[in-house]
Amino acid sequence: MTSQAQTARKRRRSLASRLYTWLTSMNLAIALLSILAIASVIGTVLQQNQPFNDYLIEFGPFWYEVFKTLGLYDVYSVSWFVAILLFLLASTSACLLRNTPGFLRDIKSFRLNAQEKSLKAFAHSRQFETPLDGDEVAERARGLLQQLGYKARLKQRDGETLVAARKGGMNRIGYVLTHLGMVVILVGGLVDSKMYLKTLNMLGVVEVETRDLPVSQVPEESHLPPDSLAGFRGSVNIPEGKWGDVAFIGLKDGYVVQNLPFKIEVEDFFVEFYDTGMPKSFNSELTLTDKETGESTTETIRVNHPLRYKGYNIFQSSFGDGGTELTFDAWQLAGDVGSHQEREGKVNDDTTFEFDGKKYTLEFRDFSLFNVNPTEGPDGKTENTNFGPSVTFRLRDAAGQAIEYENYFQPVDFDGTRYFLSGVTKEVGGQQQFLFIPADRNNSIETFMAFYAKLKDRDAIAGVAADLIGQTTQGREQRDQRMQNAAARSIAELVTTFVNDGFSALGERVDQSLAERGLTGEQAEQARNATFGVVQQVLMRTYMEVLDEQGIEDFTQQDEAFFENALDVITVIPSYGSPIYVAPKSFNHIQSTGLEITRAPGMLWVYLGSLMLTAGIFMLFYIHYRRLWVLIKPSTLDQDGQSGDQRVVVAGTDARKNIDFDQAFAQFSNELQRRTGSKGQNNPSSTPAKG
Amino acid sequence: MSVPNEQMANGFEPASELPTQKRIGVIDVLWALAMLVAAGIGYTQYSESLDVYATGTLFGAALGLGFLGWVWPATRWLTGVVAVVSMYALWQYNILGADGAVGRDALAQFQESNFLFKFLLSSQAATMWMVALFFLSIPTYFIGLAVRSEYGLKVGSALVWSGSAMAFIGFFSRWRESYLINLDYGHIPVSNLYEVFIVFAVVTALLYLFYEKRYNSRSLGGFVMTIVGVALAFLMWYQFTRDAEVIAPLVPALNSWWMKIHVPANFIGYGTFAIAAMVGIAYLIKQKMGGDGPNDRLPSLAVMDDIQYKAIALGFAFFTIATILGAMWAAEAWGGYWSWDPKETWALIVWLNYAAWLHMRLTKGWRGPVMAWWSIGGLFITSFAFLGVNMFLSGLHSYGEL
Ligand code: HEM
């Protein structure tokens, strides 16, 4: 071997050993613990694994890219974070490797070669004299030590006797268990992590799919055959009555498809409720069919009660609508107002229709069977009221603008009056506002629609107005017919303004015409009120006509309230935003269940490691690793070397250096002094303080 | 580093090394037997509705209380008083609810019309007593400390003991009340922010009482009870502004056996970390005022340093257990033992922080002000994990949104 090779090797070895020293250093350990803690914070303040588009909107293009490059959207599986964990794993393993052999040797040794000088230098050490002879002292010391649970050994050496004792060696085993437990947990956790999948993706074996496709159309590169990953966590939504045999694993800004070795058929999904309407439990009845053996099992899972099957775990994690079928009446609010058609729809399905030459898409998004809301009861207390089922849909126009509506199936009672509710949300995340359409005597929306239709019918209004004018002028001198017609026309005009554009438009219109006629002050006010009165009368007459048509003869207070409420609705319809009113009629509720499907072979290791960690920590904290020495030496007071007395040096250590040992040591020494009848103690209860 | 013994003489009780210490006496045996007999009676009464876990818990609790009575005799008083009073309350409630649940209104009516329940035994009344007694203990302790009155300090301790008793009485009442309102609602009251604040208060108070006895020093009471007082002030705010005391049913994710052990284990951690921080404050104050001296009011710096270590060690051990239990629960409820959910992650951060603290003290031998500051800092991290996460971050943990 050349000397060059030798030095190279030496350098290499010293590099390796330097690395080892660094890995086992406490500074690194503390640094790693701190870095891990700080890095962990990131994922708690930045919501993880959201659609990438949301981040783009939130941070803008620049920071979006920066954060994406740093992997902050899935920080706990990004390579640099995993690297920290691996470092901690390496460091802890290295510590174990370095300390364990020494610790194990240490707990077997009694340290029988301790010298007087070193014993006296201990932080806990004391000296006294006793008249007993050496063997007797040693015997009594040993007896006391054993009584205290120490293991003791005796050694005679040139005229002196050393009793060495130790206890609590399990403390050192605790060190090993604690840190080994940590290693085992980390290994188990990494086995179950996304690390392997990410590596496959990096190597190009597996591709991430970002499009929203049916499973059958997802390309082969994004499918993982069963058993290709040791551990994974995926999820899937399956509607009632349907089945699935894959789970989707989120990766980057898309997903990969994990094929399962069994089919999951969802027989039923159901929610149990408390009397408050709060959900009590979410349940899915599932039938699993093994693809290989064909055998199947049926079981009901719910939150906190998963199904375990051949190493796979299936959890109830969410639920949604699985395509509830609906029928509804589409009432026209424009054009041929008051006519309606019965239609069918399905949640998560879109239907398009044309109206007034414009194209619209009706997108049913959700259906909910119960809508429990706090309402104020008759006695002023808040109580929970179920508003019944509702359907949520969006109406999108040709330009892509959409308004979200939530319409209720049944009228809801507020203080004895029933209304059909339609919630309107114009902007995403905006406030929901409600349209309260009064229900008629038959609990139907028809009277309102008929009334509205009539108000929209110019001829009908003109007729009512002409009637009214005619009646008011009756009995007086026959006036000019043309003037009457003009008055009726302008009244009808005002009513139409009110119906089409709302109350404030009516007000403006009236003010404008008053100004044109040059009226001001008191006069204007009078004329204004008179005009409103006439409009009101026309509206009322129109309403009466509707009631007549329905064969209703008695006019009750309810009917009057209906009229007021109907007018309230009519003034806001112009801003309702939809040319039709969707009045849902019937439904066939189909739900879907959201399942979390996992495989976690590392879990067993994590639990084993946890057990070791827990046991180890308690051993570390509550078993004291202590040593005591009693050195007995003939006193050298006389010149000839013998006085018959013995000099005793007591010393002790505790790995923890906590103050309990100060006390314990003092007590031990005192007791030993007492038992050996020692003399010359001026302060028997105290340890000479050192350190 | 070792401590001159003179300083410790008044601050530290003999440790177990003394051969004559901690014999098992007749009373200890009788007490343990009494506990077992009580459990046995309970078992024969209700055996058909107890499963294996419940039976195990019942007898485990009996053994635990027997053991606790031996290592810490004062707890026998607490156990006894709570048992007798709670038993009476439960008996009355059992008469009321003999045919099952009676509903919220009937329960409220009963509590209104019964003097004892209105002012003492209903969970609301008992909890208010706890709050009042704990609050009162703070000035009492501080006055006792200021005027060096051992008697004053003893009154402080007595207030804390009584407050703890009321907390437990309220706890058991509330537990039973939840079933009286609706059998479906029934649950151990450790399931929302309001309930766990009470748990925090009583756990911290009891752990403190333990150290008070162990170190034979009552002078830290004012400091520790201050943090309890802060928590209770929050509790009162929460109750009066949000009606947080109303007993509500559990959300499905919390309806689990794991909750019953996960939550209390966590609170032993939170409680001890809080104690360590408050002792840290006392440490720094004393150090600023010149450190140990002949006329000390507070325990020696070394003792306060030691209490911080003992508290953090105990807390760390239980926090480890709690986190593991949480992981096992998550494995059942969410589909994975570790999801990096914000609450979970912050528990890890807290844990890592104290792991670092312990390593520093043990392997580097760090003591003194730095560690005291670190204990205080640790409480901020812990508080964030306990409260901040619920307030500011969103995640899977479904209880305690503010
Ligand atoms: C991964 C997380 C770790 C945890 C949870 C952990 C936990 C603990 C605990 C609880 C103690 C006992 C402290 C005491 O009794 O006050 C301890 C001691 C110790 N740890 Fe760690 N530790 C970890 C990592 C490490 C690493 C990476 C090293 C290597 C540098 C290390 C080296 C030590 C040493 C040397 C002791 C002292 C043992 C003794 O003398 O009793 N630990 N550890």
Side-chain angles (χ1 to χ4, degrees):
Chain A
M1 206 187 281
T2 67
S3 69
Q4 223 177 355
Q6 261 172 348
T7 44
R9 206 176 190 204
K10 210 167 170 185
R11 205 180 306 137
R12 224 177 302 136
R13 195 183 309 123
S14 76
L15 188 72
S17 83
R18 281 223 302 273
L19 200 72
Y20 185 60
T21 316
W22 177 67
L23 259 185
T24 56
S25 76
M26 203 63 221
N27 289 343
L28 178 72
I30 303 276
L32 283 172
L33 295 179
S34 318
I35 292 171
L36 181 58
I38 293 164
S40 300
V41 175
I42 299 172
T44 68
V45 291
L46 178 60
Q47 270 212 26
Q48 298 287 289
N49 295 311
Q50 301 295 304
F52 274 28
N53 220 17
D54 292 6
Y55 294 122
L56 184 58
I57 293 166
E58 194 174 342
F59 301 122
F62 177 74
W63 289 111
Y64 165 76
E65 271 306 321
V66 172
F67 291 166
K68 189 174 151 191
T69 314
L70 291 173
L72 301 193
Y73 306 141
D74 188 9
V75 71
Y76 301 114
S77 63
V78 75
S79 44
W80 59 263
F81 191 86
V82 176
I84 300 175
L85 289 175
L86 287 173
F87 246 114
L88 187 64
L89 179 64
S91 165
T92 314
S93 314
C95 273
L96 262 173
L97 228 64
R98 188 160 116 155
N99 289 333
T100 310
F103 281 1
L104 293 183
R105 235 178 292 124
D106 187 62
I107 57 175
K108 287 208 202 95
S109 134
F110 277 93
R111 306 247 179 104
L112 278 165
N113 46 8
Q115 297 302 313
E116 179 176 358
K117 212 163 140 208
S118 61
L119 290 181
K120 280 183 174 165
F122 272 74
H124 296 91
S125 144
R126 187 193 282 197
Q127 227 184 116
F128 56 85
E129 300 209 342
T130 163
L132 297 179
D133 83 87
D135 288 348
E136 187 57 32
V137 178
E139 231 9 82
R140 291 189 186 184
R142 182 149 73 170
L144 176 58
L145 284 165
Q146 273 166 356
Q147 197 185 336
L148 292 173
Y150 284 79
K151 284 206 180 85
R153 287 281 183 285
L154 227 132
K155 187 174 177 182
Q156 308 269 3
R157 53 188 193 202
D158 41 287
E160 56 182 38
T161 308
L162 179 70
V163 184
R166 60 168 158 76
K167 80 168 177 188
M170 286 308 274
N171 172 285
R172 308 280 80 185
I173 306 290
Y175 167 85
V176 177
L177 279 178
T178 304
H179 295 83
L180 192 60
M182 214 45 232
V183 169
V184 172
I185 290 173
L186 281 169
V187 170
L190 287 170
V191 166
D192 291 344
S193 75
K194 269 191 203 162
M195 200 170 62
Y196 182 61
L197 178 59
K198 289 200 88 167
T199 315
L200 289 181
N201 176 238
M202 225 152 60
L203 297 175
V205 183
V206 174
E207 298 294 338
V208 173
E209 178 58 65
T210 52
R211 291 164 298 172
D212 195 4
L213 294 177
V215 177
S216 55
Q217 287 171 31
V218 173
E220 205 43 45
E221 305 87 76
S222 300
H223 274 274
L224 295 161
D227 299 335
S228 53
L229 296 178
F232 71 86
R233 260 180 100 164
S235 58
V236 63
N237 287 314
I238 307 175
E240 287 174 307
K242 299 270 163 59
W243 59 268
D245 62 351
V246 298
F248 299 91
I249 306 173
L251 194 63
K252 291 189 182 162
D253 54 342
Y255 58 89
V256 295
V257 178
Q258 169 70 59
N259 296 346
L260 302 171
F262 48 81
K263 265 167 58 170
I264 308 169
E265 191 165 353
V266 179
E267 311 281 351
D268 192 15
F269 172 83
F270 57 99
V271 187
E272 290 168 302
F273 293 92
Y274 291 112
D275 61 352
T276 57
M278 243 177 78
K280 182 180 170 192
S281 76
F282 304 105
N283 315 265
S284 295
E285 189 185 331
L286 307 176
T287 299
L288 295 201
T289 310
D290 197 304
K291 283 185 181 167
E292 233 169 70
T293 62
E295 68 189 45
S296 66
T297 49
T298 301
E299 221 173 291
T300 301
I301 64 167
R302 62 192 153 102
V303 176
N304 277 317
H305 296 268
L307 167 61
R308 310 204 187 273
Y309 184 79
K310 296 201 169 161
Y312 291 83
N313 312 301
I314 302 170
F315 301 86
Q316 179 69 58
S317 78
S318 65
F319 66 99
D321 198 284
T324 294
E325 294 156 357
L326 307 155
T327 60
F328 60 94
D329 282 335
W331 290 90
Q332 282 183 227
L333 298 177
D336 187 8
V337 181
S339 73
H340 69 272
Q341 287 167 312
E342 192 179 292
R343 294 290 197 100
E344 284 179 0
K346 213 171 164 190
V347 172
N348 294 331
D349 244 10
D350 302 347
T351 47
T352 52
F353 65 93
E354 209 161 296
F355 197 89
D356 227 5
K358 286 186 220 147
K359 270 208 169 110
Y360 293 93
T361 322
L362 195 57
E363 307 168 357
F364 287 104
R365 276 290 160 269
D366 201 6
F367 169 85
S368 46
L369 191 54
F370 300 105
N371 288 284
V372 176
N373 292 302
T375 50
E376 200 166 293
D379 49 358
K381 273 194 204 159
T382 25
E383 25 184 77
N384 290 310
T385 315
N386 184 5
F387 288 4
S390 73
V391 58
T392 305
F393 59 91
R394 287 193 205 125
L395 189 75
R396 197 178 292 282
D397 62 19
Q401 297 288 5
I403 301 179
E404 190 172 276
Y405 298 93
E406 183 182 9
N407 289 10
Y408 287 73
F409 280 69
Q410 296 149 8
V412 181
D413 194 315
F414 290 92
D415 288 334
T417 313
R418 292 201 186 78
Y419 303 89
F420 288 95
L421 299 187
S422 173
V424 187
T425 316
K426 296 220 161 152
E427 293 150 29
V428 176
Q431 180 94 26
Q432 192 181 33
Q433 286 173 320
F434 281 94
L435 201 64
F436 287 77
I437 302 178
D440 60 21
R441 296 185 180 198
N442 305 325
N443 255 343
S444 131
I445 202 168
E446 267 172 38
T447 306
F448 173 78
M449 287 299 174
F451 180 37
Y452 189 53
K454 221 174 195 91
L455 290 177
K456 282 278 204 179
D457 182 347
R458 282 167 184 258
D459 293 343
I461 297 294
V464 174
D467 265 9
L468 183 73
I469 302 280
Q471 268 172 25
T472 47
T473 51
Q474 238 171 34
R476 280 196 229 159
E477 206 65 6
Q478 275 283 329
R479 300 277 294 271
D480 184 11
Q481 186 68 29
R482 270 169 52 206
M483 239 179 90
Q484 267 190 35
N485 285 349
R489 258 204 316 279
S490 78
I491 295 291
E493 194 90 348
L494 288 177
V495 172
T496 305
T497 304
F498 167 72
V499 172
N500 287 345
D501 304 315
F503 186 77
S504 56
L506 171 67
E508 273 166 35
R509 183 81 191 258
V510 171
D511 287 346
Q512 197 189 333
S513 76
L514 292 179
E516 275 165 16
R517 280 158 56 189
L519 294 179
T520 49
E522 189 86 348
Q523 264 182 320
E525 192 61 34
Q526 268 174 13
R528 205 163 184 259
N529 288 343
T531 314
F532 283 156
V534 176
V535 170
Q536 169 90 3
Q537 276 188 45
V538 173
L539 293 169
M540 185 49 125
R541 279 173 175 247
T542 314
Y543 175 55
M544 298 299 269
E545 273 186 21
V546 172
L547 291 187
D548 266 355
E549 281 162 22
Q550 298 198 341
I552 292 168
E553 279 159 11
D554 56 326
F555 185 76
T556 62
Q557 240 174 340
Q558 260 98 343
D559 294 318
E560 191 170 344
F562 183 101
F563 174 69
E564 302 288 332
N565 291 325
L567 290 188
D568 284 347
V569 179
I570 286 162
T571 64
V572 294
I573 282 187
S575 62
Y576 184 60
S578 168
I580 58 166
Y581 181 80
V582 172
K585 285 201 334 201
S586 69
F587 59 85
N588 174 23
H589 193 198
I590 300 170
Q591 305 186 76
S592 78
T593 185
L595 302 175
E596 179 109 356
I597 301 178
T598 71
R599 205 155 87 143
M603 187 159 88
L604 203 68
W605 294 100
V606 171
Y607 287 178
L608 181 72
S610 301
L611 212 65
M612 291 162 70
L613 177 68
T614 312
I617 285 175
F618 275 93
M619 286 154 83
L620 266 176
F621 290 151
Y622 297 107
I623 296 177
H624 302 292
Y625 184 43
R626 287 173 177 171
R627 292 179 177 280
L628 288 172
W629 290 269
V630 181
L631 180 68
I632 305 138
K633 251 182 151 168
S635 228
T636 46
L637 288 177
D638 291 356
Q639 277 309 59
D640 44 297
Q642 297 292 318
S643 69
D645 281 3
Q646 301 291 320
R647 199 154 54 81
V648 180
V649 179
V650 184
T653 61
D654 179 330
R656 283 289 168 276
K657 299 188 180 65
N658 288 328
I659 58 178
D660 1 11
F661 186 62
D662 301 343
Q663 210 58 30
F665 180 76
Q667 279 153 3
F668 168 75
S669 316
N670 293 347
E671 183 66 12
L672 186 64
Q673 269 173 259
R674 200 179 59 73
R675 291 196 186 181
T676 54
S678 64
K679 53 187 184 183
Q681 281 304 308
N682 37 18
N683 188 4
S685 72
S686 104
T687 317
K690 288 194 180 163
Chain B
M1 169 175 157
S2 105
V3 182
N5 209 56
E6 293 76 22
Q7 279 174 31
M8 288 175 19
N10 67 347
F12 196 64
E13 238 191 30
S16 59
E17 219 70 346
L18 198 70
T20 52
Q21 277 278 300
K22 274 291 158 226
R23 291 257 164 71
I24 298 180
V26 182
I27 298 186
D28 303 318
V29 175
L30 285 179
W31 174 255
L33 278 178
M35 291 294 104
L36 280 174
V37 167
I41 293 172
Y43 181 74
T44 51
Q45 291 277 311
Y46 297 104
S47 59
E48 70 272 25
S49 43
L50 297 174
D51 61 11
V52 207
Y53 296 119
T55 313
T57 311
L58 179 67
F59 285 98
L63 286 176
L65 286 173
F67 178 76
L68 194 64
W70 172 57
V71 294
W72 187 9
T75 57
R76 289 179 196 152
W77 281 103
L78 184 68
T79 309
V81 169
V82 170
V84 169
V85 179
S86 288
M87 220 83 102
Y88 175 77
L90 295 186
W91 175 51
Q92 290 294 315
Y93 274 153
N94 272 354
I95 295 172
L96 175 69
D99 305 322
V102 298
R104 217 180 270 285
D105 294 338
L107 176 66
Q109 213 173 3
F110 171 77
Q111 289 169 341
E112 247 337 274
S113 62
N114 185 311
F115 181 83
L116 262 183
F117 275 85
K118 186 173 181 185
F119 292 107
L120 193 69
L121 298 180
S122 73
S123 65
Q124 267 316 293
T127 305
M128 291 316 282
W129 274 106
M130 171 201 79
V131 172
L133 291 165
F134 280 173
F135 270 142
L136 257 180
S137 75
I138 303 169
T140 314
Y141 268 126
F142 274 130
I143 291 169
L145 182 66
V147 303
R148 291 177 193 278
S149 154
E150 189 58 28
Y151 176 75
L153 291 172
K154 274 188 178 158
V155 173
S157 294
L159 288 170
V160 178
W161 277 109
S162 345
S164 305
M166 290 318 294
F168 280 108
I169 291 164
F171 182 87
F172 290 120
S173 283
R174 190 177 171 93
W175 197 345
R176 183 75 182 90
E177 285 162 13
S178 67
Y179 283 89
L180 278 174
I181 291 173
N182 187 325
L183 288 181
D184 267 354
Y185 291 16
H187 62 267
I188 182 168
V190 293
S191 70
N192 62 30
L193 210 54
Y194 174 83
E195 291 167 348
V196 298
F197 257 88
I198 298 173
V199 175
F200 171 79
V202 68
V203 166
T204 310
L206 277 181
L207 286 166
Y208 164 70
L209 287 173
F210 176 74
Y211 289 115
E212 182 178 280
K213 178 229 147 202
R214 179 106 156 66
Y215 290 86
N216 194 20
S217 161
R218 295 191 163 86
S219 49
L220 292 169
F223 292 91
V224 175
M225 291 314 287
T226 298
I227 190 80
V228 173
V230 169
L232 292 179
F234 174 85
L235 184 82
M236 289 295 95
W237 169 81
Y238 196 40
Q239 168 165 348
F240 290 125
T241 62
R242 310 283 172 96
D243 288 335
E245 78 285 5
V246 174
I247 296 175
L250 290 177
V251 302
L254 292 181
N255 199 349
S256 163
W257 183 80
W258 294 104
M259 179 184 78
K260 299 174 190 161
I261 42 180
H262 169 65
V263 176
N266 249 320
F267 279 85
I268 295 184
Y270 291 149
T272 49
F273 296 153
I275 291 175
M278 297 318 282
V279 174
I281 290 175
Y283 182 102
L284 291 171
I285 291 175
K286 179 164 187 186
Q287 202 225 9
K288 268 268 162 340
M289 290 169 62
D292 294 335
N295 295 318
D296 277 353
R297 291 165 209 262
L298 288 169
S300 72
L301 291 177
V303 165
M304 287 198 279
D305 195 90
D306 199 64
I307 296 177
Q308 287 175 60
Y309 169 75
K310 291 279 160 55
I312 286 178
L314 181 69
F316 186 76
F318 276 91
F319 206 72
T320 308
I321 294 179
T323 308
I324 292 168
L325 288 172
M328 295 169 102
W329 182 4
E332 203 124 285
W334 300 337
Y337 49 85
W338 197 261
S339 311
W340 294 102
D341 156 79
K343 191 95 183 171
E344 216 169 50
T345 307
W346 273 93
L348 176 74
I349 293 166
V350 168
W351 189 77
L352 289 169
N353 171 58
Y354 288 109
W357 192 99
L358 287 166
H359 277 100
M360 273 307 193
R361 186 184 155 102
L362 191 68
T363 60
K364 300 240 152 179
W366 282 22
R367 307 276 153 116
V370 181
M371 297 308 268
W373 278 113
W374 195 344
S375 304
I376 298 165
L379 184 61
F380 282 96
I381 300 177
T382 308
S383 313
F384 191 81
F386 174 16
L387 271 183
V389 173
N390 300 20
M391 278 157 53
F392 304 118
L393 310 176
S394 61
L396 299 164
H397 266 77
S398 35
Y399 77 71
E401 265 141 55
L402 278 171

